[in-house]
Amino acid sequence: MDSNDVMDSAHQAPDGVDEKTVRALGALSKALETTERARGHLYGFHQLTGTADFELGDAVRMLREAGHEEQADRVEREIVGRNVIPGHWTFQIVEAYNSTYYQPFTAVERDVVDEVGGGRSHLLEARLKTLRRTPHHPDHTATPPS
């Protein structure tokens, strides 16, 4: 038998962790991964909005160079540097999301994995890998080369 037929111990469910628990931990992990994606979109929103604000500065300059002082003044006064929601620039939204939602979520997820999964992450994915790979195929090994 190939020595790489079995997942490493870090990805095997500890004794006493049943299939329902593995599935529940998989769902919790998937929810956190979705939150990671949402957070990435939030950072994208933050960066795109900031970029747009600097592009507005260019537009104001060009409007002035084209002789449209009144319109340049209006764009600068009304839009450049404007809050995206009352009292907030995008960095403040990111900070509030991180402290109010993201950081508590990651802490609770880690605690639950520690408490019911023996601290082992991705047990469901490891189980799926074991079920879906072709035994003894060189590109379907259980673990990376050592």
Side-chain angles (χ1 to χ4, degrees):
M1 179 155 129
D2 185 344
S3 63
N4 197 358
D5 278 344
V6 180
M7 289 299 296
D8 58 311
S9 61
H11 291 101
Q12 292 179 19
D15 291 339
V17 175
D18 63 7
E19 183 66 23
K20 286 183 181 180
T21 300
V22 169
R23 287 184 185 175
L25 291 172
L28 182 61
S29 175
K30 184 176 180 182
L32 179 58
E33 290 169 6
T34 301
T35 298
E36 294 282 4
R37 291 178 59 206
R39 186 171 178 245
H41 289 295
L42 190 57
Y43 274 94
F45 162 72
H46 163 62
Q47 292 173 351
L48 288 169
T49 302
T51 298
D53 194 65
F54 283 108
E55 290 169 349
L56 280 170
D58 293 340
V60 166
R61 178 184 48 77
M62 287 187 255
L63 282 166
R64 285 199 172 103
E65 289 171 0
H68 305 289
E69 195 69 34
E70 182 180 326
Q71 290 78 11
D73 288 346
R74 181 173 181 210
V75 171
E76 187 172 53
R77 179 182 63 250
E78 297 293 329
I79 306 299
V80 173
R82 186 183 185 98
N83 291 331
V84 295
I85 60 173
H88 293 80
W89 268 22
T90 58
F91 76 90
Q92 292 165 306
I93 296 169
V94 169
E95 289 176 349
Y97 181 85
N98 283 338
S99 64
T100 303
Y101 189 76
Y102 176 74
Q103 291 166 352
F105 192 152
T106 59
V108 167
E109 189 269 349
R110 183 76 261 154
D111 288 347
V112 171
V113 168
D114 288 346
E115 292 164 8
V116 301
R120 298 177 184 175
S121 298
H122 297 108
L123 294 176
L124 179 63
E125 291 87 345
R127 186 164 288 166
L128 290 171
K129 181 177 182 178
T130 297
L131 295 171
R132 295 182 62 81
R133 65 190 189 88
T134 303
H136 310 296
H137 188 290
D139 293 324
H140 289 236
T141 57
T143 60
S146 46

